[in-house]
Amino acid sequence: MAWMGVALVRSPSTFSPSSQAGQRSALATFRRGAFTNLLNPKASVFMLAVFPQFPRKEDGPPWLQALVLGSIIALTQGAVYGAITRVADHARGWLESRPSTSARVAQAVGGLMVLAAVVTVLEGWRGT
């Protein structure tokens, strides 16, 4: 992570969309991101570990409780990621029209990546 962060800080380049990203609609981009998120094994393992503790036999059929809770989770995640998609889509258009701001954002992201790497190393040493 530090290596990528240093590369972003030193690079004069900006965040720019790939040639395919500019041709994709917002809905197609959202679908691709949702599919990628669904393939994340950490999210599935977390749900399998946490979800089963909530349905209780005394509150009715467990399958119905699981269906309701699953629907609530799906709607909440759709709203959250949908909002993030809208904000990112607007930010992309704004950054594309301001290359100098885009370069500063790329450098700031690189700096945060370096900082995260340093904090991770320091926490690792402190923990031993």
Side-chain angles (χ1 to χ4, degrees):
M1 185 171 1
W3 182 266
M4 290 185 299
V6 169
L8 274 174
V9 169
R10 293 182 58 187
S11 174
S13 66
T14 62
F15 286 126
S16 59
S18 67
S19 60
Q20 290 180 347
Q23 299 169 355
R24 234 182 265 134
S25 70
L27 181 60
T29 302
F30 178 79
R31 278 195 313 259
R32 185 174 183 172
F35 184 66
T36 301
N37 193 35
L38 289 172
L39 292 176
N40 180 358
K42 293 178 292 201
S44 301
V45 169
F46 176 79
M47 289 304 293
L48 287 173
V50 173
F51 190 82
Q53 69 184 342
F54 293 105
R56 298 182 305 196
K57 288 183 182 179
E58 60 270 10
D59 291 336
W63 68 268
L64 182 60
Q65 294 176 54
L67 182 67
V68 170
L69 187 56
S71 298
I72 291 169
I73 291 169
L75 288 172
T76 303
Q77 293 298 312
V80 168
Y81 288 119
I84 290 171
T85 301
R86 298 288 297 181
V87 169
D89 187 46
H90 289 292
R92 178 180 61 180
W94 185 78
L95 286 172
E96 286 175 357
S97 66
R98 295 169 177 81
S100 63
T101 303
S102 181
R104 286 194 301 268
V105 169
Q107 291 170 345
V109 169
L112 287 173
M113 291 173 73
V114 170
L115 179 64
V118 168
V119 168
T120 302
V121 168
L122 291 176
E123 286 296 316
W125 279 337
R126 193 177 85 170
T128 58

